[in-house]
Amino acid sequence: MARYESILETVGGTPLIRLTRAAAGLQPRIYVKPEWQNPGGSVKDRAALSMLRRAESEGALRPGGTVVEVTSGNTGIGLAMAAAHLGYRAVIFTSSAISREKRSQLAAYGAEVRLVDNFVPKAHPDSLRSHGERFVAETPGAWLAAQYDNPANPAAHYASTGPEIWSDTDGDITHLVATVGTGGTISGTARYLKEVSDGRVQVIGADPTTSSYAGGDGSQKFIEGAGHFVHPESNVDDWPTSLDSGLIDRFVRIDDRRAIETIQWLARTEGILAGGSSGVAVAAALDVARDLGPDGTVVVPLPDSGRQYLSTYFDDDWLTANGFAGSAAPTGDPTVGERATPVPLVDRDEQVTDVVTRLENGGIGPDDVALVLYRRAGRSVAPHPTDVVGATTLARLRASSTVADALQSVGPRLGRACHCRTRPSRAGGTPVTRSPWCSTVAG
């Protein structure tokens, strides 16, 4: 048996597992790389350790310092795990939209979890990123990992993930299919594989349908981690510098529903319990494999485990509440989503006369509710709740000069401006406070 001197030495070295039943009828070999076998439970352990070690070597993080990150969860978990082992304080800024399991894991490592859900552009002073940057500026000894623009992120995968895949396939890999979040995993791995294969390995970016990486409208998605969201009021779409898009040969777009169905299928056919972004990657890999012959070898990193999402992608109540049909009821009764009547949609910036005409022609009654949305060019899927500005009715629109004048709020955004700590700080044991907007039970 292997023996290690610390938990950090166990990061990396994950195996390849061939898909059989889930890939039935396809000619190439498809291997998945279960990155949840890293000690913190995701591929982000690699980048977290790499970024932290570089910060130490450069003097940006010193003994007694504070590790800070703005994250959708997994990078924060990797940093919190390393910080716990090395004796650093960890403060993680994230959203209440991440799964309950991720928040609980952060708390278990002793990290201070601060939830910020203001729906504003990244550059806004109330944004998640701004809160993290402000905390670092005001806290002596604090270091911000900044995974989206930290060169140690892709460097981790150039040094480990790529060489592992090349060695474990005996150099036979023909296609790498990976999701694109910060861009670190796909960029670092792709750079190594393209160099060692003299460019033979094809790299496919698996991306949620709405992600701007692959040309989507930039609207929010339900799959955590993968893709790139652009606030509807942003003036620019800034991509992370951790991403080298020149290494990606093409993108394959996968919608949320198919990603969720894919991980459910993986669990039931292969016994592989994978997270939502893994569903995006595997669904894309299956599409790629349909065009390949028996000489193809496709490798798919699976970023994390489905254990992190038992309360979301594998929970029928969550699936139904968010517009995805859950498992069929034993009685065969239709789900709530199947009973629902579509609600008319109105862009906030539309001319009110055009809206009134359209709704009247659609047979909408004067008191029927219509949802008002932020305008997004090229919207291709049903809007995410974050794109809903409010509601209105045909009667209110007839009496108003603009859509904004006819707008009614649909209620508060759960979690807004919440800065909770799920555990007291190590230093002073400060009592935990809970904002009335917070959807998380602290303590």
Side-chain angles (χ1 to χ4, degrees):
M1 291 182 64
R3 183 172 69 183
Y4 301 95
E5 300 303 315
S6 85
I7 190 69
L8 303 184
E9 292 182 5
T10 68
V11 173
T14 58
L16 295 181
I17 302 171
R18 185 170 180 177
L19 297 185
T20 54
R21 293 182 63 201
L26 298 175
Q27 296 187 67
R29 294 164 294 178
I30 303 176
Y31 291 93
V32 296
K33 191 169 175 64
E35 287 296 298
W36 60 78
Q37 292 196 16
N38 286 299
S42 85
V43 68
K44 295 295 188 178
D45 288 0
R46 298 176 187 259
L49 183 57
S50 175
M51 293 187 295
L52 191 150
R53 288 306 196 193
R54 178 171 292 190
E56 290 178 326
S57 67
E58 294 177 347
L61 181 62
R62 300 181 182 276
T66 300
V67 174
V68 183
E69 184 56 315
V70 176
T71 172
S72 61
N74 282 330
T75 303
I77 289 170
L79 289 167
M81 174 195 68
H85 178 74
L86 297 170
Y88 295 113
R89 176 190 179 195
V91 179
I92 306 301
F93 288 82
T94 189
S95 160
S96 63
I98 71 168
S99 70
R100 182 172 65 241
E101 292 86 351
K102 286 183 181 178
R103 282 178 276 166
S104 296
Q105 189 173 354
L106 284 165
Y109 284 125
E112 300 173 29
V113 182
R114 307 200 175 194
L115 303 180
V116 180
D117 283 343
N118 295 315
F119 190 64
V120 292
K122 290 179 182 178
H124 192 284
D126 287 333
S127 72
L128 182 64
R129 183 173 69 177
S130 295
H131 276 281
E133 292 173 345
R134 190 158 50 246
F135 176 85
V136 170
E138 296 171 353
T139 306
W143 163 74
L144 181 65
Q147 60 179 319
Y148 286 87
D149 302 305
N150 192 323
N153 177 358
H157 301 284
Y158 182 87
S160 65
T161 314
E164 288 172 22
I165 292 172
W166 185 256
S167 174
D168 291 345
T169 60
D170 295 323
D172 287 337
I173 176 175
T174 60
H175 294 75
L176 172 73
V177 182
T179 52
V180 190
T182 66
T185 300
I186 195 169
S187 297
T189 307
R191 183 175 298 280
Y192 179 87
L193 292 174
K194 281 187 174 292
E195 288 180 4
V196 75
S197 70
D198 293 326
R200 175 176 55 82
V201 174
Q202 293 291 292
V203 177
I204 290 84
D207 212 34
T209 298
T210 60
S211 169
S212 69
Y213 287 146
D217 62 15
S219 59
Q220 191 59 277
K221 66 274 185 304
F222 288 93
I223 298 298
E224 294 181 25
H228 190 60
F229 164 74
V230 183
H231 192 279
E233 295 180 337
S234 293
N235 295 321
V236 293
D237 178 9
D238 289 325
W239 287 15
T241 59
S242 291
L243 171 62
D244 185 346
S245 58
L247 294 167
I248 301 174
D249 295 291
R250 64 186 175 96
F251 283 92
V252 174
R253 297 170 65 179
I254 302 296
D255 65 53
D256 287 344
R257 180 180 298 278
R258 186 173 172 208
I260 293 170
E261 290 173 347
T262 298
I263 57 172
Q264 293 174 342
W265 179 245
L266 270 181
R268 295 165 186 172
T269 59
E270 300 280 2
I272 294 175
L273 190 63
S277 56
S278 299
V280 176
V282 172
L286 294 174
D287 286 350
V288 169
R290 290 188 181 95
D291 297 325
L292 301 179
D295 293 333
T297 299
V298 182
V299 175
V300 191
L302 303 184
D304 62 4
S305 170
R307 292 187 183 91
Q308 298 281 56
Y309 308 97
L310 294 177
S311 63
T312 55
Y313 311 134
F314 295 94
D315 182 83
D316 283 352
D317 290 337
W318 184 93
L319 292 168
T320 301
N322 287 285
F324 304 100
S327 299
T331 61
D333 291 338
T335 65
V336 172
E338 290 168 334
R339 293 180 185 274
T341 300
V343 177
L345 304 178
V346 176
D347 277 346
R348 183 183 59 176
D349 299 326
E350 278 190 89
Q351 294 294 319
V352 70
T353 52
D354 294 340
V355 175
V356 168
T357 300
R358 177 161 56 83
L359 296 183
E360 287 177 339
N361 291 341
I364 303 301
D367 296 320
D368 290 341
V369 173
L371 292 181
V372 180
L373 311 174
Y374 287 104
R375 179 180 290 278
R376 283 193 181 275
R379 190 189 300 276
S380 59
V381 297
H384 188 275
T386 56
D387 266 357
V388 177
V389 182
T392 190
T393 64
L394 182 56
R396 290 182 62 87
L397 287 164
R398 286 170 174 161
S400 304
S401 57
T402 67
V403 172
D405 291 338
L407 187 66
Q408 289 181 303
S409 172
V410 292
R413 294 187 186 280
L414 202 62
R416 181 186 297 172
C418 171
H419 314 296
C420 311
R421 284 181 291 189
T422 57
R423 291 191 183 272
S425 66
R426 291 197 190 103
T430 305
V432 173
T433 58
R434 185 183 179 203
S435 161
W437 292 99
C438 181
S439 62
T440 306
V441 177

